[in-house]
Amino acid sequence: MIRRTFIALAAGAATLAFVGHAAAQETIKIGASAPKTGPLAAGATVSHWPNIQLWVHDVNERGGLQVGDQQMKIELVEYDDRTSAETAVQNIQRLATVDKVDFIVTPYSTGLNVATAPIIARYGYPHITTSAITDGVEEFAGRWPNSFWMLGTSKELAEGTAAALKKLHDAGEIGNKVALVHVADAFGLELAGAGKPALEAAGFEIVYEASYPLGTQDVAPIISQAKAATPDAFVGFSYPGDTFALTEQAQIQGLDVGAFYVGVGTSFPAFAGRFGAVANGIMGAGGTNPDDEKIKEYRARHKEVTGADADYWASAVTYSGLQVLEQAIEAAGTKDREAVVEAIKTGTFDTVMGEVKFENNVNRNLWTVGQWKDGVFYGVAANGIDGAVEPVKKDGWE
């Protein structure tokens, strides 16, 4: 699927002179490939595509990107990768060689970013990942020096999870037995690989482990077996579909734990909408400081422009990554990709998530764990970011 979006230079009647000027104005063409269908479409529909829409709107609303002495409005070319690495690679190839876009927006998810990184590098596009979590960031940044990694590593996310649980344990709120499950793709495998030693180093005993294929819909047996192990805490490194399913089954089966953590999708507004008061105390990947003025303003604008609420993690990160691209293009003063890559490497960027400056192509300031409290998902663990609140015990499923 392809959709081209270009916000018009003028609305209503205009003078012939103005129309002539508008027609002559050069544009900057941006390509995007991410899931609109397939297992990861739900997540991309919440945190990825709306922020591309918002960014294009915001840039064009103020007249476009200032590229040297020209102001250029954005033309967006979109493709659905159908949650397929093969299709994603084909889409990037088409964007580069047929559509001849000036820049490419990051794909969605760890697996699709890693799969497309070589071809994005081949054409020299800056690749600012905003939904990829992997311990390979140092290696990948060296292999693909055009790539930049905003969401941190699996180790950082896993250690944040272990630290949040340890706070509850040290406060006497939970015991030391943990059930650990994960989706069997790049994201889940890495997080489980980092999570188990992090939890054990924090003094926890893993009493149950399981993995399941991406797209699994029936997770009832996993929760049933986890419950039989009588854990004090449950940790699931999951994607949105299974995040919702695991939580639903935990509620149905009455999984009695003082700490319940699930992964991507926990921060979605629809999560609190689906589970209501039951969501209180549930922890998940990421977070923000919802009391920060920049975040408040961003969330209000997201709602106004897209008609949907931003999530409390990857939405703001995705928008921030686009702000980095925008500011780097303007700093370079050119559409030359090599110059823009260099501007990203050396620049400091003002984003809705705060200041972003890459260290060896990696962002080191990030949220790792959030928790629902009275309908708001607060960050409870972070690296290099202030504003985290203390985690609290999960108090039942009623």
Side-chain angles (χ1 to χ4, degrees):
M1 176 188 297
I2 177 173
R3 183 164 70 87
R4 294 174 183 267
T5 303
F6 179 59
I7 297 180
L9 293 173
T15 66
L16 290 175
F18 184 84
V19 170
H21 171 75
Q25 182 177 18
E26 186 176 352
T27 63
I28 188 165
K29 190 182 289 188
I30 307 288
S33 170
K36 292 175 183 271
T37 56
L40 295 181
T45 300
V46 172
S47 58
H48 191 77
W49 288 114
N51 282 285
I52 297 174
Q53 175 191 349
L54 176 61
W55 177 67
V56 172
H57 169 274
D58 287 349
V59 170
N60 286 350
E61 182 80 1
R62 60 176 175 265
L65 293 173
Q66 189 65 43
V67 186
D69 60 359
Q70 289 186 291
Q71 199 164 27
M72 301 181 185
K73 289 199 172 184
I74 294 173
E75 177 185 354
L76 180 67
V77 184
E78 304 176 22
Y79 287 105
D80 176 13
D81 65 25
R82 300 180 293 190
T83 316
S84 161
E86 181 180 0
T87 302
V89 170
Q90 292 170 352
N91 288 350
I92 299 299
Q93 177 80 23
R94 181 182 177 90
L95 287 167
T97 62
V98 178
D99 299 302
K100 299 186 184 302
V101 298
D102 298 301
F103 296 97
I104 290 176
V105 174
T106 175
Y108 178 80
S109 84
T110 302
L112 294 175
N113 270 285
V114 173
T116 56
I119 192 166
I120 294 174
R122 182 189 309 168
Y123 291 104
Y125 290 105
H127 182 186
I128 307 168
T129 72
T130 57
S131 59
I133 301 173
T134 170
D135 285 333
V137 292
E138 301 284 358
E139 175 194 346
F140 294 157
R143 186 186 307 173
W144 306 305
N146 64 304
S147 68
F148 301 87
W149 305 80
M150 285 195 62
L151 215 54
T153 67
S154 302
K155 185 173 184 287
E156 288 169 321
L157 202 71
E159 288 179 347
T161 305
L165 265 59
K166 189 174 189 304
K167 282 189 175 182
L168 293 176
H169 177 268
D170 291 349
E173 298 286 5
I174 63 172
N176 74 331
K177 297 189 294 182
V178 177
L180 177 64
V181 308
H182 68 277
V183 59
D185 83 331
F187 167 83
L189 289 166
E190 278 203 10
L191 276 164
K196 184 174 180 179
L199 288 164
E200 290 174 340
F204 292 100
E205 176 189 0
I206 310 299
V207 294
Y208 172 73
E209 287 184 75
S211 67
Y212 53 89
L214 178 65
T216 295
Q217 296 182 351
D218 183 11
V219 297
I222 293 173
I223 294 297
S224 177
Q225 292 163 25
K227 182 178 179 180
T230 63
D232 302 300
F234 177 90
V235 173
F237 294 122
S238 52
Y239 271 136
D242 26 310
T243 290
F244 279 69
L246 289 166
T247 305
E248 183 176 66
Q249 279 301 315
Q251 181 183 13
I252 290 170
Q253 298 188 38
L255 179 62
D256 185 18
V257 290
F260 186 83
Y261 171 103
V262 274
V264 180
T266 313
S267 64
F268 290 0
F271 188 90
R274 164 64 182 82
F275 296 105
V278 167
N280 279 333
I282 292 178
M283 291 187 284
T288 62
N289 177 0
D291 296 327
D292 180 85
E293 289 303 320
K294 281 188 176 181
I295 291 294
K296 284 182 179 179
E297 190 276 335
Y298 155 75
R299 292 183 61 81
R301 200 169 67 257
H302 187 288
K303 177 72 170 180
E304 178 184 357
V305 173
T306 71
D309 289 315
D311 76 13
Y312 287 94
W313 181 35
S315 285
V317 177
T318 299
Y319 190 85
S320 294
L322 292 165
Q323 288 182 299
V324 170
L325 178 61
E326 168 193 340
Q327 292 170 32
I329 292 169
E330 294 190 331
T334 175
K335 293 193 289 185
D336 179 76
R337 297 166 200 162
E338 186 175 349
V340 173
V341 168
E342 185 61 26
I344 298 171
K345 284 178 180 287
T346 58
T348 299
F349 305 95
D350 181 21
T351 79
V352 297
M353 291 290 285
E355 184 180 285
V356 172
K357 183 174 178 61
F358 293 98
E359 178 185 319
N360 297 323
N361 291 31
V362 180
N363 172 40
R364 296 299 183 186
N365 299 328
L366 54 121
W367 290 96
T368 56
V369 184
Q371 185 174 46
W372 283 103
K373 298 181 181 182
D374 299 323
V376 179
F377 193 73
Y378 289 90
V380 298
N383 294 341
I385 300 177
D386 296 327
V389 301
E390 292 297 309
V392 298
K393 180 180 179 180
K394 170 70 180 151
D395 189 19
W397 294 97
E398 298 298 328

